[in-house]
Amino acid sequence: MNEIKKIAVLTSGGDSPGMNAAVRAVVRTGIYEGYEMVGSLRGYHGLISGDVVPLHSRSVSNIIQRGGTILKSARCKAFYEKEGRKKAYDKMQSMGIDALVVIGGDGTFTGAKEFGKEFGVPIVGLPGTIDNDLFGTDYTIGYDTAVNTVMEAVDKLRDTAYSHDRLFIIEVMGRDAGFIALRSGIATGAEMILVPESPTYIAELLYMLEKDWKKNKTSGIIIVAEGDDSGGAMKVEREINDHFPDYETRVSILGHIQRGGSPSAMDRVLASRLGNAAIMTLKEGVSGVMLGLIDNKIEMTSFEKSIKHHQYINLELLDIARVLAI
Ligand code: F6P
């Protein structure tokens, strides 16, 4: 590895609360360690087009508490192709950028893995996604905030569910994973939680609803992860109305409010620790890894491994949720 003088940081994929805190930690640690720091705008797009801005210590003032990402984020199709990556490499060379810190999810690390292999660019990745579905970390940056956002929304919906004797079917994010659904479901005392990791049988769901109804449960909350095989909250509502019309139902799809907002203390601290460690990892000459927190210790996982493996949810929590909802 050649000597690193100038490091670029970027955020890529879906934004998540805490990305700014991570950018701040990367930039400030980088400057502290004597590197020149720059930011690539809109993820890998900035590297291809040369949309790169200098970052100083003051450039990242007053952002630790802000959601979204000051560097903007995007999914870059061109970077999936070798031609796009070559353009990015040439641009990096012309701008004197020696190394990268990339903050994002699966797609971000897939690009990083190829790029590192093809051109020998030192790259360290940080897990930034609300979905918490990355292998190699107990928590991703943004997950805790998203769960708290869902929890607050569901608490409010439960007020109306109770007052009007209604069953609310609430859809939360998680295209491929049920982490947000499971954790927010436990935290809000949801009657049922539907996740992609466990098959949903409508007959079983109706049976449980009937049992609840007989026990004088006149209101309730069903949390559905968007990637669940039931087909989503609207579909679940239709099935309930068609086969078990006793409950008055309402659907609420929380959508992108889950991606925004001020990060929780947990996300800010996680982002700060990982951001700091990213620079120290590059300084030690290590590359091609995602950093994560496992049992409260910073651990490295190769991009290869983090992409190939899946983080599994604790399915026992589904049973616990059901027991606690009797
Ligand atoms: O950030 C991950 C995620 O929240 C998924 O759960 C969701 O399916 C997806 O992003 C939607 O993102 P977008 O609207 O940006 O395509």
Side-chain angles (χ1 to χ4, degrees):
M1 219 187 270
N2 293 330
E3 200 203 340
I4 297 174
K5 291 197 184 107
K6 190 169 176 178
I7 302 173
V9 55
L10 60 85
T11 49
S12 156
D15 63 345
S16 70
M19 278 184 162
N20 278 329
V23 169
R24 171 181 176 271
V26 169
V27 170
R28 291 208 169 152
T29 308
I31 290 166
Y32 182 84
E33 293 295 333
Y35 297 111
E36 184 182 346
M37 300 301 299
V38 294
S40 168
L41 300 182
R42 297 177 182 81
Y44 293 117
H45 281 297
L47 293 184
I48 294 173
S49 62
D51 214 357
V52 169
V53 293
L55 292 173
H56 310 290
S57 186
R58 296 281 76 75
S59 322
V60 291
S61 293
N62 200 22
I63 66 165
I64 193 169
Q65 78 282 21
R66 282 171 56 190
T69 158
I70 60 161
L71 296 179
K72 296 183 179 279
S73 191
R75 298 182 175 97
C76 180
K77 283 218 178 92
F79 204 75
Y80 287 134
E81 310 296 329
K82 186 158 184 186
E83 202 187 320
R85 293 193 293 271
K86 171 82 172 66
K87 274 190 194 156
Y89 179 68
D90 292 342
K91 248 313 177 276
M92 274 179 69
Q93 292 286 94
S94 72
M95 293 184 290
I97 299 169
D98 309 302
L100 291 177
V101 176
V102 298
I103 307 168
D106 247 4
T108 308
F109 302 148
T110 306
K113 184 195 83 172
E114 294 305 319
F115 196 50
K117 265 208 295 207
E118 284 162 358
F119 302 103
V121 176
I123 312 176
V124 168
L126 300 183
T129 163
I130 63 164
D131 288 342
N132 205 43
D133 57 349
L134 292 175
F135 182 81
T137 189
D138 292 340
Y139 300 105
T140 56
I141 298 165
Y143 170 60
D144 183 65
T145 307
V147 168
N148 281 294
T149 300
V150 172
M151 185 183 74
E152 283 170 23
V154 175
D155 286 349
K156 288 180 177 132
L157 293 169
R158 198 184 268 285
D159 290 345
T160 299
Y162 178 81
S163 306
H164 288 266
D165 291 320
R166 285 178 185 164
L167 181 67
F168 268 81
I169 302 127
I170 302 164
E171 188 172 300
V172 301
M173 276 190 167
R175 197 168 21 200
D176 309 306
F179 287 95
I180 296 175
L182 187 56
R183 199 166 175 85
S184 63
I186 297 276
T188 55
E191 274 63 31
M192 279 164 222
I193 306 168
L194 312 183
V195 295
E197 292 85 349
S198 162
T200 295
Y201 302 107
I202 292 296
E204 195 183 325
L205 186 134
L206 295 171
Y207 170 73
M208 289 197 280
L209 282 179
E210 204 172 339
K211 262 182 38 184
D212 283 356
W213 184 258
K214 285 184 182 148
K215 281 186 290 187
N216 289 330
K217 262 203 182 219
T218 52
S219 67
I221 299 289
I222 301 179
I223 306 265
V224 188
E226 64 176 329
D228 180 64
D229 62 2
S230 57
M234 302 289 258
K235 201 124 182 268
V236 170
E237 185 193 38
R238 271 201 300 278
E239 293 282 1
I240 294 171
N241 290 338
D242 287 351
H243 299 100
F244 189 71
D246 293 332
Y247 276 110
E248 188 183 340
T249 58
R250 289 289 187 276
V251 165
S252 186
I253 298 176
L254 298 185
H256 288 79
I257 62 158
Q258 296 162 90
R259 285 244 295 258
S262 184
S264 65
M266 182 168 153
D267 276 327
R268 294 181 199 194
V269 174
L270 175 67
S272 300
R273 286 181 71 183
L274 294 179
N276 171 268
I279 294 295
M280 301 321 284
T281 305
L282 284 173
K283 191 180 172 190
E284 281 160 22
V286 180
S287 170
V289 294
M290 182 199 89
L291 301 183
L293 208 64
I294 301 175
D295 294 333
N296 206 25
K297 280 212 299 282
I298 291 171
E299 303 282 356
M300 293 186 241
T301 304
S302 69
F303 286 140
E304 195 109 31
K305 233 174 151 183
S306 79
I307 296 158
K308 210 154 133 210
H309 295 275
H310 292 284
Q311 174 86 310
Y312 290 104
I313 63 170
N314 181 357
L315 286 173
E316 278 173 24
L317 289 179
L318 280 182
D319 301 328
I320 294 175
R322 198 54 207 152
V323 170
L324 300 186
I326 54 170

